[in-house]
Amino acid sequence: MRKVGFLIYPGYQPMGIAVTAPFEIANLQAARPIYDVRMVSMHGGLVRTSLGFEIMTEPIATGHYDLIVVGASLEEPSAELIELIRATPSFCRRIAATCHGAFVLAEAGLLDGRRATTHWDRAADLRAGYPTVKVDEDRIFISDGPIWTSAGMTAGIDLALALIEQDLGVEATRNVARRLLLYHRRSGGQSQFSALLELEGSSDRIQVVLNYARANLTKRLSVGELADIANLSPRQFSRVFQSETGQTPAKAIERLRLEEARRLLEDSNHPLDVVARMTGFGDRDRMRRALTRTFGKSSRVMPRQPHRDAVTESEPV
């Protein structure tokens, strides 16, 4: 059985406890328990969280762990805790940090020379405070050898699923994700910023249009069609849409297509032609040019460098 320790220390943010759920589900699905999950602290006993309630822990032992997970806290870690983290590679196969927990690993020197991520709002602080760490804030999670880091909050669940996939394979992990009611398991390369989530209209009619677009990305959506759904003329619709979302309809719909294309290229084995059809780009070259324009020639999702192109407002969106 693989021993997993969730390291709890004063000010621990309770959202980190949610990361235990994938390991529990993996145990429930298996013929026998796979993970021995424990809440551990420096000396054991009750540890007060950032919300004021306490978590019962056991003392962390220096016996072998398969994984130790360091969560985020609103309090500075003690020097004693940092020394413990510094020693973990000697008795732990893998070490992970979620959200601001990356700062604990960095202070202990475990991220020196390694790639790492954290919540986007603290990435600049991590880069400034620990210049030897290769910080990439535009990632859901990163693994660099035995050290894993994730972005904030729910990204810790994506990290847990990736760790389980490393242990048990893709199909077992998909089953865990289904049990957790996750729409899809996000890959580590996915951006922390989501146009699918952030793009909203302030009025019902624009929100209806956005919902329709999200559900119909395979279609060659036109401004006229979207205006009809909003019960506005094309001119009125374009003006109201840009006023409420800050983007033209063409740019907004293209960004929704791009994010879905990027997800499919990262999380599936679909050929480029299939992804282009599924996201409404029509052909792979148009999709590749749009991906390059938005994410750059070094985009991780692109198998080879595409050429640049322009998209005009007169084109179908």
Side-chain angles (χ1 to χ4, degrees), residues 10 31 76 103 138 154 167 199 222 291 305 308:
E76 291 295 321
F103 284 80
D138 197 30
T154 58
D167 296 338
L199 191 61
S222 68
L291 284 165
Q305 289 187 349
R308 292 184 178 272

Side-chain angles (χ1 to χ4, degrees), residues 144-219:
D144 190 331
I147 309 296
W148 297 63
T149 52
S150 79
M153 304 304 178
T154 58
I157 294 177
D158 296 290
L159 179 145
L161 289 169
L163 288 161
I164 292 170
E165 181 176 316
Q166 186 180 74
D167 296 338
L168 307 180
V170 173
E171 190 56 37
T173 308
R174 284 176 180 161
N175 291 335
V176 172
R178 291 190 195 104
R179 288 285 296 274
L180 292 170
L181 300 181
L182 295 178
Y183 173 64
H184 69 274
R185 182 184 66 79
R186 296 180 294 181
S187 66
Q190 186 165 337
S191 173
Q192 291 189 33
F193 302 94
S194 173
L196 289 167
L197 296 176
E198 292 180 353
L199 191 61
E200 294 183 352
S202 57
S203 68
D204 289 344
R205 64 175 65 194
I206 297 301
Q207 194 59 53
V208 167
V209 169
L210 289 170
N211 291 340
Y212 176 83
R214 291 184 179 102
N216 292 276
L217 290 177
T218 58
K219 298 177 62 176

Side-chain angles (χ1 to χ4, degrees), residues 7-30:
L7 185 60
I8 311 298
Y9 54 106
Y12 184 88
Q13 293 186 279
M15 184 66 187
I17 300 173
V19 182
T20 64
F23 298 101
E24 179 186 21
I25 299 300
N27 279 346
L28 292 174
Q29 291 183 166

Side-chain angles (χ1 to χ4, degrees), residues 7-10 41-44 59-60 62 70 76-88 91 104 107-108:
L7 185 60
I8 311 298
Y9 54 106
S41 63
M42 285 293 305
H43 305 293
I60 188 168
T62 55
V70 181
E76 291 295 321
S78 67
E80 187 180 19
L81 180 68
I82 295 300
E83 285 302 314
L84 172 69
I85 296 298
R86 188 171 289 127
T88 50
F91 60 87
V104 180
E107 184 64 23

